[in-house]
């Protein structure tokens, strides 16, 4: 269900938003949140979760929003992707996507909502989702260096790639190979700064945050993997 929602329904909804244009990005953003919540709450099916299990996820999203706002004076230098990756590793792929999507949506009430919001929600979310999947399969370890490598690659290629393409769709009526090349070249310096910031925050905070989240999970019996 998560794969269907994230890799099929959400991209189709974003494409639908491009076609209808106008100021429909609030509707598209809310639809993405609904799609995200379906697999997220299916994780808890039959477990009768207590509120404390959801509070931790909400707090991680709040930290992402606060972290993005705290570094508003430094364009692209944000801790959001680092927090999303930590959420995906600690609480699973669905939780990682949920934290990423909610962080993108809520933080844009401070930074400005627009047609870029659904793209940011999807980009943040998919990085957290993939981190959770790779960690569960044993392809990504929670070591500082592996997380930094994944964070750099995911931020530069996934987030940067998606947002550059979003800029092309939003500001150009004709898509050509030269225009695609131009938008990616012009966006590369900003993507590099964003990727370096992700590495920085993962390097200084990932171990401490993951250890604390693991203790919380054990103490309160949260989200069985």
């Amino acid at each position: 269900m998560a794969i269907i929602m994230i890799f099929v329904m959400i991209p189709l909804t974003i494409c639908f938003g491009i076609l209808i244009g106008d100021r429909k990005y609030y509707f598209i953003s809310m639809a993405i949140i609904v799609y995200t919540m379906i697999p997220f709450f299916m994780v808890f099916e039959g477990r009768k979760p207590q509120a404390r299990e959801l509070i931790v996820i909400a707090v991680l999203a709040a930290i992402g929003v606060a972290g993005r706002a705290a570094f508003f004076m430094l364009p692209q230098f944000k801790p959001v992707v680092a927090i999303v990756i930590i959420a995906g590793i600690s609480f699973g792929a669905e939780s990682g996507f949920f934290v990423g999507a909610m962080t993108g949506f809520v933080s844009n009430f401070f930074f400005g909502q627009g047609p870029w919001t659904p793209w940011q929600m999807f980009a943040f979310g998919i990085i957290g989702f993939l981190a959770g999947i790779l960690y569960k399969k044993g392809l990504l370890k929670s070591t500082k260096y592996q997380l930094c490598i994944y964070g750099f690659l995911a931020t530069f290629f996934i987030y940067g790639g998606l947002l550059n393409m979003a800029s092309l769709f939003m500001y150009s009526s004709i898509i050509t190979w030269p225009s695609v090349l131009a938008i990616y070249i012009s966006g590369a310096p900003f993507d590099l700064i964003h990727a370096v910031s992700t590495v920085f925050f993962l390097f200084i905070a990932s171990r401490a945050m993951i250890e604390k989240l693991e203790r919380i999970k054990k103490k309160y019996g949260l989200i069985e993997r």
Side-chain angles (χ1 to χ4, degrees):
M1 180 61 71
I3 291 173
I4 292 173
M5 290 294 175
I6 292 171
F7 290 102
V8 179
M9 293 301 297
I10 291 178
L12 287 177
T13 303
I14 294 176
C15 291
F16 176 71
I18 295 173
L19 294 176
I20 61 177
D22 200 13
R23 295 175 61 85
K24 303 297 191 300
Y25 44 84
Y26 277 114
F27 168 77
I28 302 301
S29 299
M30 292 304 298
I32 292 175
I33 291 175
V34 172
Y35 295 151
T36 303
M37 291 174 67
I38 292 174
F40 175 75
F41 284 111
M42 286 180 67
V43 173
F44 299 103
E45 185 177 3
R47 296 184 61 237
K48 298 180 180 179
Q50 297 180 351
R52 64 190 180 193
E53 301 190 19
L54 304 177
I55 288 174
V56 180
I57 306 300
V59 167
L60 286 172
I63 292 173
V65 174
R68 192 178 181 202
F71 290 88
F72 73 93
M73 76 295 291
L74 300 175
Q76 302 302 317
F77 197 87
K78 302 291 187 290
V80 177
V81 176
I83 294 168
V84 169
I85 291 172
I86 291 170
I89 286 177
S90 299
F91 292 98
E94 295 82 3
S95 299
F97 193 96
F98 184 80
V99 170
M102 288 301 298
T103 299
F105 181 66
V106 175
S107 63
N108 273 358
F109 282 104
F110 300 98
F111 288 90
Q113 299 284 356
W116 52 83
T117 299
W119 291 87
Q120 289 178 323
M121 294 169 65
F122 181 67
F124 283 136
I126 200 66
I127 292 173
F129 183 83
L130 291 176
I133 292 293
L134 293 174
Y135 181 76
K136 187 174 183 179
K137 298 296 183 181
L139 300 176
L140 177 65
K141 305 297 183 183
S142 59
T143 62
K144 185 181 299 185
Y145 297 102
Q146 286 202 27
L147 291 180
C148 287
I149 293 172
Y150 172 76
F152 181 89
L153 296 176
T155 305
F156 189 85
F157 291 105
I158 298 178
Y159 186 89
L162 286 172
L163 267 296
N164 287 333
M165 185 57 65
S167 299
L168 192 61
F169 283 128
M170 285 186 287
Y171 303 116
S172 178
S173 58
I174 300 176
I175 309 300
T176 62
W177 283 114
S179 64
V180 172
L181 184 61
I183 199 72
Y184 276 94
I185 291 176
S186 62
F190 300 96
D191 298 333
L192 183 60
I193 295 172
H194 196 185
V196 170
S197 71
T198 299
V199 171
F200 173 78
F201 288 109
L202 283 172
F203 188 82
I204 65 173
S206 60
R207 179 178 297 177
M209 286 189 68
I210 291 173
E211 288 178 353
K212 287 179 172 59
L213 290 172
E214 288 297 323
R215 285 200 294 269
I216 292 173
K217 286 168 60 178
K218 291 178 181 179
K219 182 176 180 178
Y220 296 107
L222 304 184
I223 306 177
E224 296 294 334
R225 300 185 65 85

